Amino acid sequence: MLSQHENDLLTRVGAGTPMGELMRRYWIPAAFSHQIAAPDSAPVRVRLMGENLVLFRDTRGRVGLIDERCPHRTASMFFGRNEEGGLRCVYHGLKFDVDGNCFDIPCVPQASEVQKRNLLSQLKIKSYPCIERGEVVWTYMGPPSHKPEFPDLEWTRVTKAQRFATRHIQECNWLQGLEGGFDPTHLTFLHGGDVGRDRSIVVTLYEVIPTDFGFVVGTGRDPGEGRDILWNVNVMLMPFHKIISSVPHAAHVWAPIDDENTMLYSIDFTPNRDLTEADLERSKAGRGIHTENIPGTDHAIRNKGNDYLIDRAQQASGASFTGMKGLGTQDCAIQESMGAIADRSAEHLLACDAAIIKIRRLLLQTLKDHADGKPLPGMRPESYRVRSTRYEAPRDAAFTALARERVRIDAPAMAK
Ligand code: FES
Ligand SMILES: [Fe+2]
């Protein structure tokens, strides 16, 4: 259970909020590159961290992410003409480049050159720097002097044929997604029947430790009879990434649209070979939800409005614990069901929530460190060279050192 104040600290992401400012110190996914595939193609709307923006690719292929509001009289730049090196507002013709500079002001032909230069210098539109990695456009919305290098995120380095990515909107706060992603207990219940977890071997050990990239969440299951502990170690890379230990490997990114909506990017990838048809089939079946968006939208076909197409007969027969198809659907349904922003002051936490409690404490500590000007995790690109993993270790083996070592991956796999 958290106080209302703590819940606000962790969940609110608008500009000026503690979590919003912390997240803005990292690269944030704004869109898939294919959404603005060609130079001078149609701009797209992007809502990110509570801000309304417009994304476009200029004539030279450079990517710009600018405020949706034209600084002249606040018309939407979404309707703009993308032509010859910039986006032109269609209301009175002001034109902006990817860096937000106004470089044409045709609505005041009578102005002298000096007057025009003055006007242009005043008419800058807010813009955020962008970079393309892994067929995704990423943006940095923080203070320019703190902009980090792009992290060595493994799935962004592999070839197109080694990666399968989708995204969909979750109608809830980002932290519900992240907490669901690191909730060890729900695998046995919510996803029961899909992941084949043996309920007779229960999780008895919960470890959450800070690292140079974020934290690792370790859950230990004791098979009894003095045998080694079965550790499942998941990595959380600041500020909202998870790498999943599976074949193929997988990743989730919970990018806040605003306080009450989240864009979940899901990526499956293979570091050393192309994905096969069988891999793709498995990925799509597992997700259930976001391979099947309503055409032209980022909203899943199985959604809140139709109760995720729950099949009560399947639920009753035990063929599926939930009656909902796909792990992605199950996660989305249950996380959205908690409300747009879960009221964590109304919870009754149990022993099985130990990992969640520790994650919240660590996030609150990171907020405090940020406020105190202390160094943040994940600022060095190579710190992201990690994967989630599973291993067996004797009961008395120290968790921290072993887990930190076991999640590391070699640099060669990260070659561009
Ligand atoms: S509102 Fe954009 S040019 Fe006037
Ligand atoms: Fe889940």
Side-chain angles (χ1 to χ4, degrees):
M1 176 176 139
L2 292 178
S3 68
Q4 189 58 50
H5 175 64
E6 289 170 322
N7 202 27
D8 285 345
L9 282 178
L10 291 177
T11 54
R12 305 280 173 183
V13 295
T17 62
M19 184 55 82
E21 292 304 304
L22 174 63
M23 284 184 174
R24 282 168 171 78
R25 295 286 303 275
Y26 299 87
W27 288 93
I28 300 172
F32 286 126
S33 291
H34 67 69
Q35 293 178 259
I36 46 164
D40 291 340
S41 54
V44 299
R45 287 194 184 94
V46 171
R47 185 163 162 78
L48 202 55
M49 307 291 287
E51 300 184 32
N52 290 326
L53 306 163
V54 169
L55 182 71
F56 69 103
R57 190 184 299 279
D58 77 4
T59 314
R60 286 164 50 195
R62 297 179 307 169
V63 176
L65 184 63
I66 59 172
D67 195 354
E68 181 175 0
R69 297 262 160 259
C70 175
H72 175 217
R73 278 173 49 202
T74 74
S76 173
M77 294 300 296
F78 170 72
F79 298 105
R81 297 176 62 88
N82 189 9
E83 53 181 25
E84 291 157 37
L87 193 61
R88 190 186 292 284
C89 178
V90 291
Y91 202 0
H92 314 95
L94 267 60
K95 190 169 179 182
F96 303 89
D97 68 15
V98 291
D99 298 317
N101 301 306
C102 183
F103 65 98
D104 194 14
I105 179 165
C107 51
V108 283
Q110 69 280 22
S112 70
E113 281 311 306
V114 174
Q115 285 171 324
K116 274 191 192 169
R117 264 205 301 282
N118 280 339
L119 287 173
L120 292 178
S121 68
Q122 291 163 23
L123 283 166
K124 208 166 154 62
I125 195 167
K126 180 171 72 179
S127 78
Y128 294 118
C130 294
I131 194 170
E132 289 180 271
R133 290 284 186 276
E135 300 168 278
V136 169
V137 178
W138 302 77
T139 191
Y140 175 75
M141 302 169 78
S145 60
H146 285 304
K147 189 173 85 179
E149 275 182 66
F150 191 79
D152 288 353
L153 206 48
E154 189 179 21
W155 67 262
T156 65
R157 300 292 195 101
V158 299
T159 65
K160 199 171 173 167
Q162 292 169 267
R163 176 178 51 236
F164 170 64
T166 57
R167 68 175 198 174
H168 80 281
I169 292 171
Q170 282 201 206
E171 293 179 45
C172 65
N173 180 258
W174 77 281
L175 189 59
Q176 272 144 266
L178 183 97
E179 288 186 347
F182 288 92
D183 179 321
T185 314
H186 87 291
L187 296 174
T188 318
F189 298 92
L190 184 69
H191 304 317
D194 293 285
V195 294
R197 189 57 66 93
D198 180 356
R199 279 192 208 171
S200 66
I201 307 178
V202 290
V203 173
T204 48
L205 298 149
Y206 299 92
E207 298 275 4
V208 181
I209 52 165
T211 64
D212 60 350
F213 54 84
F215 51 78
V216 300
V217 180
T219 48
R221 296 154 74 224
D222 187 352
E225 296 165 8
R227 283 183 286 164
D228 285 355
I229 302 291
L230 310 172
W231 282 103
N232 195 358
V233 177
N234 281 300
V235 290
M236 183 279 193
L237 290 63
M238 284 294 288
F240 39 47
H241 303 262
K242 182 189 180 190
I243 313 292
I244 298 155
S245 160
S246 59
V247 182
H249 297 296
H252 281 324
V253 189
W254 290 276
I257 295 170
D258 51 34
D259 289 350
E260 302 189 347
N261 295 279
T262 304
M263 189 68 82
L264 171 60
Y265 290 80
S266 299
I267 306 96
D268 286 0
F269 66 102
T270 37
N272 302 313
R273 61 168 175 86
D274 290 355
L275 286 165
T276 62
E277 281 303 317
D279 290 330
L280 290 172
E281 279 312 308
R282 189 179 164 280
S283 301
K284 288 176 184 173
R287 290 178 198 191
I289 187 162
H290 31 295
T291 52
E292 296 176 45
N293 286 344
I294 297 167
T297 77
D298 291 304
H299 289 278
I301 287 175
R302 295 186 181 85
N303 61 46
K304 198 160 115 184
N306 56 27
D307 289 327
Y308 313 90
L309 303 177
I310 187 170
D311 183 334
R312 293 289 186 182
Q314 284 263 317
Q315 190 185 47
S317 74
S320 155
F321 193 68
T322 58
M324 289 181 273
K325 202 173 144 200
L327 277 67
T329 311
Q330 295 155 7
D331 282 325
C332 190
I334 225 61
Q335 289 159 17
E336 291 182 347
S337 79
M338 299 160 87
I341 303 178
D343 179 0
R344 293 176 178 77
S345 70
E347 297 174 336
H348 296 85
L349 296 174
L350 305 172
C352 62
D353 299 309
I356 298 295
I357 296 166
K358 290 182 181 186
I359 288 168
R360 293 175 184 174
R361 291 291 144 215
L362 256 183
L363 287 173
L364 285 167
Q365 183 60 47
T366 310
L367 286 178
K368 188 169 180 311
D369 290 348
H370 182 224
D372 293 345
K374 293 194 180 151
L376 293 175
M379 290 292 123
R380 284 183 316 113
E382 56 273 26
S383 67
Y384 277 57
R385 293 176 186 173
V386 290
R387 280 187 205 145
S388 295
T389 186
R390 292 165 204 216
Y391 58 82
E392 296 172 19
R395 177 172 280 275
D396 55 3
F399 176 79
T400 302
L402 195 57
R404 282 186 180 149
E405 179 199 310
R406 291 293 187 97
V407 298
R408 293 279 162 212
I409 56 173
D410 293 338
M414 300 300 303
K416 275 190 188 174

